[in-house]
């Protein structure tokens, strides 16, 4: 039985390119959740009228917030937060960091359009205790925009280890726009800008009390990942996305329990200097390998 007849609002950010992916993945979220859900889809600015028809027709109880409408609302809401306004204007992930919270009236949930659900589940969007105000899925590395030495010093922000912001549940009362504006204004935290939004969630989560979903149930899919009886949701990020159809077909052969899976959580450790240093070293090594390939490519073109 569902906890309440009042649906939980789940937000998603969708672009024209990923319409079919969103229909499959967000559709699986609606299909398997025991808790009643309603979707609020945020247009990144690329959705067409045909896309709108597909989304509203394929995803029951969904609504769409169009970019042009959101821009007007958010410009007013962010008047006193210039760093937030600039980040949202320049980066599409600003809609995820800012719109889903500020355009919500209560605790808010978010789900990326590349997370596939495999079996019935309960209590995904459920805080385990009063001290927890943020829930995230767990990444396999600290995919953060900060460098290791940014964790040292008086003004250093603390980060939760290995936050992946593909799936979020957050208390509205704990959302701190002033802190976010400060964080986005720190140029030294922008070493890898594409991870800035996720890093901000990790810092905000640490401030308000954070847990992460069980890593056997809510999984960031890797090349060697397998479908198991415990797997409820799999996040198929860019380089792994071609495996999604394989998992989907394999799941149709699975026999799951009649009882929905109860989603468990745990309290993660803090991100530390050594952990973030390892990620930075791997980035540098990858950059060096790519640099070493350039002379070979130039030689091949000259032949």
């Amino acid at each position: 039985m569902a906890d309440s007849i009042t649906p939980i609002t789940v937000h998603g950010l969708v672009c024209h390119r990923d319409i079919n992916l969103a229909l499959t993945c967000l559709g699986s979220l609606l299909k398997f959740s025991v808790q009643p859900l309603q979707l609020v889809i945020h247009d990144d600015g690329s959705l067409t009228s045909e896309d709108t028809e597909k989304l509203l027709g394929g995803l029951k109880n969904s609504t769409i917030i169009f970019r042009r409408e959101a821009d007007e609302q958010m410009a007013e809401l962010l008047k006193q937060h210039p760093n937030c306004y600039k980040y949202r204007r320049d980066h599409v992930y600003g809609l995820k960091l800012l719109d889903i919270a500020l355009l919500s009236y209560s605790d808010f949930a978010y789900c990326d359009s590349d997370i596939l659900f495999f079996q019935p589940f309960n209590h995904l969007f459920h805080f385990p205790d009063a001290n927890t105000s943020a829930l995230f899925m767990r990444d396999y590395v600290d995919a953060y925009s900060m460098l290791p030495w940014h964790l040292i010093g008086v003004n250093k922000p603390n980060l939760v280890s290995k936050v992946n912001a593909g799936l979020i549940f957050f208390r509205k009362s704990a959302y701190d726009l002033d802190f976010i504006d400060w964080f986005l204004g720190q140029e030294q935290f922008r070493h890898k800008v594409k991870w800035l939004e996720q890093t901000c969630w990790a810092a905000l989560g640490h401030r308000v009390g954070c847990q992460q979903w069980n890593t056997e149930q809510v999984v960031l899919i890797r090349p060697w990942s397998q479908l198991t009886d415990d797997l409820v949701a799999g996040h198929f990020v860019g380089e792994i996305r071609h495996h999604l159809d394989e998992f989907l077909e394999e799941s149709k052969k699975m026999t799951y329990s009649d009882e929905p899976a109860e989603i468990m959580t745990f309290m993660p450790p803090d991100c530390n200097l050594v952990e973030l240093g390892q990620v930075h070293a791997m980035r540098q090594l990858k950059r060096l390998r790519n640099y070493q390939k350039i002379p070979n490519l130039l030689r091949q073109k000259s032949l």
Side-chain angles (χ1 to χ4, degrees):
M1 294 292 291
D3 288 345
S4 171
I5 60 173
T6 302
I8 295 173
T9 300
V10 182
H11 298 254
L13 178 62
V14 179
C15 66
H16 169 72
R17 181 196 62 193
D18 292 336
I19 288 299
N20 291 331
L21 180 68
L23 287 169
T24 297
C25 291
L26 294 177
S28 69
L29 169 66
L30 295 176
K31 175 182 177 181
F32 288 121
S33 176
V34 172
Q35 295 170 290
L37 306 177
Q38 61 182 20
L39 287 176
V40 174
I41 298 167
H42 295 255
D43 162 34
D44 77 331
S46 66
L47 294 184
T48 65
S49 57
E50 183 180 355
D51 296 336
T52 299
E53 290 180 11
K54 285 183 178 180
L55 290 168
L56 295 179
L59 300 172
K60 184 180 178 182
N61 296 330
S62 62
T63 58
I64 297 177
I65 298 178
F66 294 101
R67 179 66 185 267
R68 61 184 179 274
E69 299 169 356
D71 286 348
E72 294 179 5
Q73 291 179 272
M74 294 299 293
E76 181 66 23
L77 293 171
L78 296 177
K79 284 195 304 185
Q80 305 302 318
H81 297 86
N83 296 317
C84 291
Y85 178 84
K86 184 176 185 300
Y87 178 70
R88 184 185 182 278
R89 182 194 65 197
D90 297 341
H91 301 279
V92 69
Y93 286 134
L95 278 69
K96 181 176 170 182
L97 178 62
L98 300 163
D99 292 31
I100 65 170
L102 297 182
L103 300 181
S104 296
Y105 296 102
S106 60
D107 300 342
F108 53 91
Y110 172 86
C111 184
D112 270 353
S113 60
D114 56 0
I115 297 179
L116 184 65
F117 292 78
F118 297 98
Q119 60 174 306
F121 63 88
N122 198 16
H123 291 131
L124 177 66
F125 302 118
H126 173 79
F127 295 113
D129 55 55
N131 295 321
T132 300
S133 293
L135 288 173
F136 303 106
M137 65 184 304
R138 187 164 179 81
D139 214 316
Y140 55 89
V141 296
D142 294 297
Y144 295 152
S145 62
M146 295 169 57
L147 292 169
W149 46 90
H150 294 152
L151 297 178
I152 304 172
V154 177
N155 291 323
K156 70 176 182 67
N158 293 308
L159 305 177
V160 177
S161 172
K162 298 181 174 66
V163 163
N164 182 284
L167 198 61
I168 300 169
F169 190 43
F170 210 97
R171 291 190 198 274
K172 173 79 170 182
S173 60
Y175 185 79
D176 189 341
L177 189 60
D178 291 334
F179 172 77
I180 293 172
D181 195 67
W182 171 83
F183 189 92
L184 294 177
Q186 305 303 303
E187 290 296 327
Q188 68 271 26
F189 297 165
R190 292 170 170 255
H191 182 70
K192 202 168 184 67
V193 176
K194 74 173 186 177
W195 289 343
L196 180 60
E197 170 255 338
Q198 184 159 272
T199 311
C200 192
W201 283 117
L204 189 58
H206 190 283
R207 288 168 60 88
V208 304
C210 170
Q211 291 200 32
Q212 292 174 330
W213 286 292
N214 184 305
T215 55
E216 299 295 320
Q217 296 178 305
V218 180
V219 179
L220 186 69
I221 300 297
R222 304 287 282 141
W224 53 83
S225 299
Q226 295 181 341
L227 187 62
T228 67
D229 292 340
D230 293 324
L231 182 60
V232 172
H235 192 182
F236 293 82
V237 295
E239 65 272 18
I240 304 297
R241 195 161 294 164
H242 62 282
H243 290 294
L244 188 147
D245 289 338
E246 301 170 17
F247 274 73
L248 183 59
E249 288 304 312
E250 190 66 24
S251 69
K252 295 176 182 177
K253 306 172 188 176
M254 297 284 287
T255 302
Y256 295 106
S257 170
D258 293 334
E259 293 295 321
E262 287 287 330
I263 304 297
M264 308 300 290
T265 64
F266 69 97
M267 188 171 294
D270 292 353
C271 177
N272 58 55
L273 184 68
V274 173
E275 192 175 272
L276 198 57
Q278 291 172 340
V279 176
H280 179 59
M282 287 189 294
R283 287 185 200 165
Q284 296 300 102
L285 181 59
K286 182 178 180 181
R287 185 178 293 113
L288 177 61
R289 287 173 176 170
N290 290 337
Y291 179 78
Q292 290 173 337
K293 291 177 184 178
I294 293 175
N296 291 331
L297 291 174
L298 292 175
R299 283 195 294 269
Q300 290 173 10
K301 288 182 179 180
S302 67
L303 293 177

